[in-house]
Coordinates of all heavy atoms in Angstrom, one line a residue:
D35 N 0.8 -1.2 0.0 CA 0.0 0.0 0.0 C 0.9 1.3 0.0 O 0.4 2.3 -0.5 CB -0.9 0.0 1.2 CG -1.9 -1.1 1.2 OD1 -2.2 -1.7 0.1 OD2 -2.6 -1.3 2.2
L36 N 2.0 1.2 0.6 CA 2.8 2.4 0.9 C 4.0 2.6 -0.1 O 4.7 3.6 0.0 CB 3.4 2.3 2.3 CG 2.4 2.3 3.4 CD1 3.0 2.2 4.7 CD2 1.4 3.5 3.4
R37 N 4.2 1.6 -1.0 CA 5.5 1.7 -1.8 C 5.6 3.0 -2.6 O 6.8 3.5 -2.7 CB 5.6 0.4 -2.6 CG 4.5 0.2 -3.7 CD 4.7 -1.2 -4.4 NE 3.7 -1.4 -5.4 CZ 3.7 -2.5 -6.1 NH1 4.6 -3.4 -6.0 NH2 2.7 -2.7 -7.0
H38 N 4.5 3.4 -3.2 CA 4.6 4.6 -4.1 C 4.9 5.8 -3.2 O 5.6 6.8 -3.5 CB 3.4 4.8 -4.9 CG 3.1 3.7 -5.9 ND1 4.0 3.3 -6.8 CD2 2.0 2.8 -6.0 CE1 3.6 2.2 -7.5 NE2 2.3 2.0 -7.1
D39 N 4.2 5.9 -2.0 CA 4.5 7.0 -1.1 C 5.9 7.1 -0.6 O 6.4 8.1 -0.5 CB 3.4 7.0 0.0 CG 2.0 7.0 -0.4 OD1 1.7 7.8 -1.4 OD2 1.2 6.3 0.2
I40 N 6.4 5.9 -0.3 CA 7.8 5.9 0.2 C 8.8 6.3 -1.0 O 9.8 7.0 -0.7 CB 8.1 4.5 0.8 CG1 7.3 4.2 2.0 CG2 9.6 4.3 1.0 CD1 7.4 2.9 2.6
A41 N 8.6 5.7 -2.2 CA 9.4 6.0 -3.3 C 9.4 7.5 -3.6 O 10.5 8.1 -4.0 CB 9.0 5.3 -4.5
S42 N 8.3 8.2 -3.4 CA 8.2 9.6 -3.7 C 8.7 10.5 -2.6 O 8.9 11.7 -2.8 CB 6.7 10.0 -4.0 OG 5.9 9.9 -2.8
G43 N 8.9 9.9 -1.4 CA 9.3 10.7 -0.3 C 8.1 11.3 0.5 O 8.4 12.0 1.5
A44 N 6.9 11.0 0.1 CA 5.8 11.6 0.8 C 5.6 11.0 2.2 O 5.1 11.6 3.2 CB 4.5 11.3 0.0
L45 N 6.1 9.7 2.4 CA 6.2 9.1 3.6 C 7.6 8.5 3.9 O 8.2 8.1 3.0 CB 5.1 7.9 3.7 CG 3.6 8.4 3.7 CD1 2.8 7.1 3.7 CD2 3.3 9.2 4.9
V46 N 8.0 8.6 5.2 CA 9.3 8.1 5.6 C 9.1 6.8 6.4 O 8.4 6.8 7.4 CB 10.0 9.2 6.4 CG1 11.4 8.6 6.9 CG2 10.1 10.4 5.6
P47 N 9.8 5.7 6.0 CA 9.7 4.5 6.8 C 10.5 4.6 8.1 O 11.6 5.3 8.1 CB 10.4 3.4 5.9 CG 11.2 4.2 4.9 CD 10.6 5.5 4.8
L48 N 10.0 4.1 9.2 CA 10.5 4.2 10.5 C 10.9 2.9 11.1 O 10.4 1.8 10.7 CB 9.6 5.0 11.5 CG 9.0 6.4 11.0 CD1 7.9 6.8 11.9 CD2 10.1 7.4 10.9
L49 N 11.8 2.9 12.1 CA 12.1 1.7 12.8 C 12.6 0.5 11.8 O 12.1 -0.6 12.0 CB 10.9 1.2 13.7 CG 10.4 2.2 14.7 CD1 9.1 1.7 15.4 CD2 11.5 2.5 15.7
T50 N 13.4 0.9 10.8 CA 13.7 0.0 9.8 C 14.6 -1.1 10.3 O 14.8 -2.1 9.5 CB 14.4 0.7 8.7 OG1 15.5 1.5 9.1 CG2 13.4 1.7 8.0
D51 N 15.2 -1.0 11.5 CA 16.0 -2.1 11.9 C 15.2 -3.1 12.8 O 15.8 -4.0 13.4 CB 17.2 -1.5 12.8 CG 16.7 -0.6 13.9 OD1 15.6 -0.1 13.8 OD2 17.5 -0.3 14.8
W52 N 13.9 -3.0 12.8 CA 13.1 -3.9 13.5 C 12.2 -4.7 12.4 O 11.8 -4.1 11.4 CB 12.1 -3.2 14.4 CG 12.8 -2.7 15.6 CD1 13.5 -1.5 15.7 CD2 12.8 -3.2 16.9 NE1 14.0 -1.3 17.0 CE2 13.6 -2.4 17.7 CE3 12.2 -4.4 17.5 CZ2 13.7 -2.7 19.1 CZ3 12.5 -4.7 18.8 CH2 13.3 -3.9 19.6
Q53 N 12.0 -5.9 12.7 CA 11.1 -6.8 11.8 C 9.7 -6.6 12.2 O 9.3 -6.1 13.3 CB 11.4 -8.3 12.0 CG 12.7 -8.8 11.5 CD 12.9 -10.2 11.7 OE1 13.1 -10.7 12.9 NE2 12.8 -11.1 10.7
T54 N 8.8 -6.9 11.2 CA 7.4 -6.9 11.5 C 6.9 -8.3 11.0 O 7.6 -9.0 10.2 CB 6.6 -5.8 10.8 OG1 6.8 -5.8 9.4 CG2 7.0 -4.5 11.3
E55 N 5.7 -8.7 11.4 CA 5.2 -10.0 11.1 C 4.7 -10.1 9.6 O 4.2 -9.1 9.1 CB 4.1 -10.4 12.0 CG 4.5 -10.6 13.4 CD 3.3 -10.9 14.4 OE1 2.3 -10.3 14.3 OE2 3.5 -11.9 15.1
P56 N 4.8 -11.2 9.0 CA 4.4 -11.4 7.6 C 2.9 -11.0 7.4 O 2.1 -11.4 8.4 CB 4.7 -12.8 7.3 CG 5.7 -13.3 8.2 CD 5.4 -12.5 9.5
Y57 N 2.5 -10.4 6.4 CA 1.2 -10.0 6.1 C 0.9 -10.3 4.7 O 0.7 -9.3 3.9 CB 0.9 -8.5 6.5 CG -0.5 -8.1 6.7 CD1 -1.3 -8.9 7.4 CD2 -1.0 -6.9 6.2 CE1 -2.7 -8.5 7.6 CE2 -2.2 -6.5 6.3 CZ -3.1 -7.3 7.1 OH -4.4 -7.0 7.2
P58 N 0.9 -11.6 4.3 CA 0.9 -11.9 2.8 C -0.5 -11.5 2.1 O -1.5 -11.4 2.9 CB 1.0 -13.4 2.8 CG 0.5 -13.8 4.2 CD 0.9 -12.8 5.1
L59 N -0.4 -11.4 0.9 CA -1.6 -11.1 0.1 C -2.1 -12.3 -0.6 O -1.3 -13.0 -1.4 CB -1.4 -9.9 -0.9 CG -2.5 -9.4 -1.7 CD1 -3.5 -8.7 -0.8 CD2 -2.1 -8.5 -2.8
H60 N -3.3 -12.7 -0.5 CA -3.9 -13.9 -1.1 C -5.0 -13.5 -2.1 O -5.8 -12.6 -1.9 CB -4.4 -14.9 -0.1 CG -3.3 -15.5 0.7 ND1 -3.1 -15.0 2.0 CD2 -2.5 -16.5 0.5 CE1 -2.1 -15.7 2.6 NE2 -1.8 -16.7 1.7
A61 N -5.2 -14.4 -3.1 CA -6.5 -14.5 -3.9 C -7.2 -15.7 -3.3 O -6.7 -16.8 -3.3 CB -6.2 -14.7 -5.3
L62 N -8.4 -15.4 -2.8 CA -9.3 -16.5 -2.2 C -10.4 -16.9 -3.2 O -11.1 -16.0 -3.7 CB -9.9 -16.0 -0.9 CG -8.9 -15.5 0.2 CD1 -9.6 -15.1 1.4 CD2 -7.9 -16.6 0.4
L63 N -10.5 -18.2 -3.4 CA -11.5 -18.7 -4.4 C -12.5 -19.6 -3.7 O -12.1 -20.3 -2.7 CB -10.9 -19.4 -5.5 CG -9.7 -18.7 -6.3 CD1 -9.0 -19.6 -7.1 CD2 -10.3 -17.6 -7.0
P64 N -13.7 -19.6 -4.0 CA -14.8 -20.3 -3.3 C -14.7 -21.9 -3.5 O -15.2 -22.6 -2.7 CB -16.1 -19.8 -3.8 CG -15.8 -19.3 -5.2 CD -14.4 -18.7 -5.1
S65 N -14.0 -22.3 -4.5 CA -14.0 -23.7 -4.8 C -12.8 -24.1 -5.7 O -12.4 -23.4 -6.5 CB -15.3 -24.2 -5.5 OG -15.2 -25.6 -5.9
G66 N -12.2 -25.3 -5.4 CA -11.1 -25.8 -6.3 C -11.7 -26.7 -7.3 O -10.9 -27.2 -8.1
R67 N -12.9 -27.1 -7.3 CA -13.4 -28.1 -8.2 C -13.6 -27.5 -9.6 O -13.3 -28.2 -10.5 CB -14.8 -28.6 -7.7 CG -14.7 -29.5 -6.5 CD -16.1 -30.0 -6.0 NE -16.9 -28.8 -5.6 CZ -18.2 -29.0 -5.3 NH1 -18.7 -30.2 -5.3 NH2 -18.9 -27.9 -4.9
F68 N -14.0 -26.3 -9.7 CA -14.1 -25.6 -11.0 C -13.8 -24.1 -10.8 O -14.5 -23.4 -10.2 CB -15.5 -25.8 -11.6 CG -15.7 -25.1 -12.9 CD1 -15.1 -25.6 -14.0 CD2 -16.4 -24.0 -13.0 CE1 -15.2 -25.0 -15.2 CE2 -16.5 -23.3 -14.2 CZ -15.9 -23.8 -15.3
I69 N -12.8 -23.7 -11.5 CA -12.4 -22.3 -11.5 C -12.5 -21.8 -12.9 O -11.8 -22.3 -13.8 CB -11.0 -22.1 -11.0 CG1 -10.8 -22.6 -9.5 CG2 -10.6 -20.6 -11.0 CD1 -9.5 -22.5 -9.0
P70 N -13.4 -20.9 -13.2 CA -13.6 -20.5 -14.6 C -12.2 -19.9 -15.2 O -11.5 -19.4 -14.4 CB -14.6 -19.4 -14.5 CG -15.4 -19.7 -13.2 CD -14.3 -20.3 -12.3

């Protein structure tokens, strides 16, 4: 969400020597039997 704002300098990343927990992005589908 923030990559363009950081690249432009509009936002500054903080605490960069600390880790944060993974927050992966998924595509969720209702069924594996038939996917159009």
Side-chain angles (χ1 to χ4, degrees):
D35 294 347
L36 300 176
R37 59 184 181 179
H38 297 306
D39 299 322
I40 292 173
S42 70
L45 292 177
V46 177
L48 307 171
L49 303 174
T50 55
D51 53 344
W52 289 80
Q53 289 180 287
T54 58
E55 293 179 311
Y57 199 44
L59 185 69
H60 292 98
L62 304 181
L63 307 168
S65 173
R67 290 179 297 175
F68 177 74
I69 301 174

